[in-house]
Amino acid sequence: MKINEREQQIKLDILDSLARSQRALARIIESVADSVESSPKLAGQIADNLTAIVGYQRILTRKIIGLPMRVKQKGAAKQPWLNANTGVHQGKRKRKPPSSSKA
């Protein structure tokens, strides 16, 4: 097996492990959701630990695949920015002047 093929196989194995880990984390989160009412403090600690694990997995995945993974941002959405010079501002289109073709 060539080195590049072996490297790709190792990366796939790691990504497969990460996928299994994510499924396990999902099961843990469901269990924590069931126990929140009886022990909110413990649920908070477990949630913090899960956040740390997910962060480690994100870093590992980023290093393996070489692409940045976007993190969802919380906050209020802003109005979209539209360039008035494009002529599409507020749903109106600029009309191009007729071309004068003199031969």
Side-chain angles (χ1 to χ4, degrees), residues 9-74:
Q9 186 62 43
I10 291 169
K11 287 181 180 182
L12 287 173
D13 288 344
I14 293 171
L15 290 173
D16 186 47
S17 296
L18 285 170
R20 282 194 315 271
S21 177
Q22 285 293 307
R23 288 190 293 273
L25 287 174
R27 288 192 305 271
I28 292 169
I29 290 170
E30 288 176 1
S31 299
V32 169
D34 293 339
S35 65
V36 166
E37 293 174 3
S38 62
S39 179
K41 185 178 177 182
L42 175 62
Q45 291 172 343
I46 292 173
D48 290 341
N49 291 339
L50 291 175
T51 302
I53 291 170
V54 169
Y56 294 136
Q57 288 179 336
R58 182 177 290 115
I59 291 168
L60 183 59
T61 304
R62 185 182 305 143
K63 288 186 180 289
I64 290 171
I65 64 174
L67 297 173
M69 295 179 63
R70 295 179 59 189
V71 178
K72 287 188 178 182
Q73 305 250 340
K74 293 183 180 179

